[in-house]
Amino acid sequence: MTAALTLENVDCFYGNVQVLRGFSLELMQGEVLCLLGRNGAGKTTALKAIMGLVPPRSGRIMLGETDLTRLTAHQVPQAGVAYVPQGRRLFAELTVAENIEIGLMTRKKGKATRESVLDLFPVLRERLKQRSGTLSGGEQQMLAMARALCLEPQVLLLDEPTEGLMPSMIARIRETVAALRERGVSTILVEQRVDAVLPVADRVAFIENGQNRDTLDVERLRADPDLVHRYVGVG
Ligand SMILES: Nc1ncnc2c1ncn2[C@@H]1O[C@H](COP(=O)(O)OP(=O)(O)OP(=O)(O)O)[C@@H](O)[C@H]1O
Ligand SMILES: [Mg+2]
């Protein structure tokens, strides 16, 4: 298996405060890698480092042969990395259709992409003219994912997509991640609750205080759920 994305010894700071400490990660082609850790562990910062939003002070982040740390935050999505931030961040005043249009523009994708993305989220097709700020929480999460998928990304970064959603919506998000894996997309899924990810993850990487802890195959966690408590304290 080849790696779709690698982080090597990444150090990130906010001002003088170091948050990522020699953090490394390897996302294999077509896998769902879950990044798990407590509040403040550095999960969101790791995703922002990949996106060029918090440029690493040292270390390398490679997308295939491309060194992402040499790109601007504007260029990273164009290189094929899509990011759904924590808390969704849609353009609330814009309609569903307009939000999707913005996603398509990033990598100049057209109607075929739009249709295939809407096929993944039929509920959005019924609401194209609705202002996105008036969608339900679950619908907003789907729109945020749809907009990201309009890039036809090789790599998708999802930051706590199930936060605040009811179980049926969580299941929907999981199904979508699984469907994307079928299409060959490699995904980093940030979560705090392990039960939200166990059914869909291939491997789980633990982060603590900006540093790597173990990375485990999901089968090992299924066999021994207590392992999770050791790393994140809660189930
Ligand atoms: N813009 C910022 N300026 C200063 N410190 C920040 C900033 N963003 C995050 N931090 C700090 O960096 C640390 C890691 O934050 P980060 O958001 O990466 O954690 P997280 O693992 O995503 O947590 P959560 O599960 O709560 O989302 C925290 O101590 C946080 O307070
Ligand atoms: Mg976070």
Side-chain angles (χ1 to χ4, degrees):
M1 273 227 286
T2 49
L5 179 81
T6 52
L7 282 72
E8 287 170 36
N9 279 315
V10 171
D11 290 326
C12 279
F13 292 73
Y14 293 108
N16 291 325
V17 180
Q18 186 166 8
V19 171
L20 293 185
R21 304 156 194 275
F23 186 68
S24 298
L25 206 62
E26 196 172 38
L27 174 67
M28 307 312 282
Q29 211 105 53
E31 89 166 331
V32 178
L33 176 66
C34 176
L35 182 59
L36 217 63
R38 294 172 204 255
N39 285 123
K43 304 179 297 294
T44 296
T45 304
L47 300 190
K48 286 183 172 171
I50 296 166
M51 297 312 295
L53 296 168
V54 180
R57 200 171 286 184
S58 60
R60 283 208 314 172
I61 303 178
M62 301 295 293
L63 175 74
E65 300 296 303
T66 309
D67 186 348
L68 295 184
T69 59
R70 293 173 187 275
L71 304 186
T72 64
H74 188 67
Q75 291 167 325
V76 173
Q78 291 169 349
V81 184
Y83 173 45
V84 181
Q86 195 167 5
R88 291 145 207 157
R89 309 251 180 80
L90 295 162
F91 298 104
E93 297 303 319
L94 300 187
T95 63
V96 169
E98 288 164 340
N99 268 283
I100 285 179
E101 210 52 47
I102 287 170
L104 291 170
M105 274 163 20
T106 307
R107 292 183 89 194
K108 302 189 169 55
K109 301 292 178 184
K111 194 158 187 296
T113 305
R114 184 177 188 271
E115 291 310 303
S116 96
V117 167
L118 286 173
D119 285 346
L120 272 175
F121 303 101
V123 65
L124 296 179
R125 209 187 272 286
E126 297 160 18
R127 297 176 180 276
L128 287 170
K129 294 199 173 108
Q130 189 170 332
R131 272 198 321 116
S132 58
T134 63
L135 295 171
S136 75
E139 290 164 353
Q140 289 191 24
Q141 184 62 46
M142 287 183 198
L143 178 54
M145 287 175 70
R147 191 178 61 185
L149 292 172
C150 285
L151 276 65
E152 290 193 19
Q154 292 103 281
V155 169
L156 176 65
L157 311 179
L158 297 175
D159 198 346
E160 301 202 29
T162 65
E163 200 176 19
L165 299 187
M166 63 187 206
S168 64
M169 280 294 177
I170 294 175
R172 230 6 233 107
I173 304 275
R174 270 202 306 260
E175 284 161 21
T176 307
V177 171
L180 292 171
R181 177 172 41 199
E182 296 301 308
R183 295 183 181 192
V185 178
S186 315
T187 299
I188 297 180
L189 178 56
V190 165
E191 281 289 353
Q192 280 194 45
R193 291 175 36 220
V194 74
D195 56 337
V197 296
L198 275 187
V200 74
D202 296 301
R203 292 187 303 149
V204 178
F206 292 95
I207 178 171
E208 188 176 303
N209 199 15
Q211 292 175 303
N212 290 100
R213 299 293 305 271
D214 289 348
T215 300
L216 303 174
D217 283 333
V218 82
E219 286 79 27
R220 279 207 55 202
L221 283 177
R222 284 201 195 107
D224 186 0
D226 285 346
L227 277 175
V228 174
H229 293 262
R230 206 181 299 162
Y231 295 108
V232 285
V234 290

